Amino acid sequence: MKKLVVFYSLEGNTKFIAQAIAQSAGADILELRPEKEISSSGFMKYFWGGKQVLTKEKPELLPLEKNPHEYDLIFIGTPVWASTFAPPLLTFFSEEKLRDKKIALFCTYGGNAGLTLEKMEEKLVGNEIMSRIGFKEPLKNNPEECADKAKEWAGGIV
Ligand SMILES: Cc1cc2nc3c(=O)[nH]c(=O)nc-3n(C[C@H](O)[C@H](O)[C@H](O)COP(=O)(O)O)c2cc1C
């Protein structure tokens, strides 16, 4: 079974979890990179990021380095932005239209994941959702413990 971890990360938390999952699952990695990234420093990231979510923007992505259609099990991860998944994931869902995949969803959040993972699931109709998990800013809150939890979770799914 071919395994892939797809994720977007502005400040590294989601990337940190994605790497732990990939290591444990023996999966390839596909990082979604917007052509124009918002600045990750200062308060304005909340303004620009929040605006992208509210206007349902689909930011152009740099060419994908892996073809997700070639994989059987796909882990998909996002930071929580304005109580939902980050806009690069919206681009990914609408351009790739995944079907008949086994999918496991993860997110990282600052305060509350809300319904982020359920909203991702709504975009993945026609696939089998195996599991969902959220992590509170792992780079600030016991990174090692979070990485272990992510590895255990991914191992259980594989
Ligand atoms: C634009 C923006 C909006 C955010 N909105 C939320 C939110 O609604 N709820 C929440 O719990 N955290 C929110 N956060 C915090 C991030 O979800 C959290 O820091 C996450 O771990 C960042 O992941 P990253 O380091 O992979 O980018 C927001 C962060 C940004 C930049």
Side-chain angles (χ1 to χ4, degrees), residues 2-156:
K2 283 190 79 180
K3 291 150 275 180
L4 180 69
V5 182
V6 180
F7 72 97
Y8 166 72
S9 181
L10 179 65
E11 297 177 275
N13 289 277
T14 313
K15 184 170 191 162
F16 176 75
I17 296 296
Q19 286 168 333
I21 291 171
Q23 196 190 341
S24 160
D28 290 341
I29 286 195
L30 168 58
E31 180 168 4
L32 304 178
R33 299 175 203 266
E35 272 184 6
K36 284 185 208 146
E37 186 56 289
I38 62 174
S39 167
S40 63
S41 62
F43 180 77
M44 286 308 279
K45 70 186 173 204
Y46 297 106
F47 176 77
W48 290 114
K51 179 180 161 288
Q52 277 191 2
V53 171
L54 295 176
T55 57
K56 297 192 167 40
E57 216 171 290
K58 293 181 193 140
E60 290 282 333
L61 301 178
L62 292 173
L64 303 186
E65 288 168 0
K66 299 278 184 317
N67 177 358
H69 299 279
E70 291 176 359
Y71 292 83
D72 311 294
L73 169 61
I74 309 182
F75 296 87
I76 306 180
T78 182
V80 174
W81 279 16
S83 301
T84 187
F85 53 86
L89 273 299
L90 190 56
T91 312
F92 177 76
F93 293 140
S94 61
E95 289 184 355
E96 296 306 324
K97 302 206 179 1
L98 299 175
R99 286 285 177 278
D100 301 324
K101 304 290 183 195
K102 292 187 189 305
I103 306 263
L105 300 172
F106 64 100
C107 69
T108 72
Y109 57 90
N112 189 337
L115 294 175
T116 299
L117 297 178
E118 286 80 356
K119 288 176 188 169
M120 283 169 91
E121 202 169 324
E122 284 170 15
K123 298 286 179 193
L124 290 161
V125 172
N127 298 281
E128 184 186 353
I129 307 298
M130 313 287 292
S131 187
R132 302 186 289 229
I133 195 168
F135 296 86
K136 184 165 180 169
E137 290 180 343
L139 294 179
K140 282 190 205 153
N141 301 295
N142 297 315
E144 273 182 35
E145 212 174 278
C146 291
D148 287 346
K149 194 172 154 194
K151 285 178 188 170
E152 199 183 322
W153 176 72

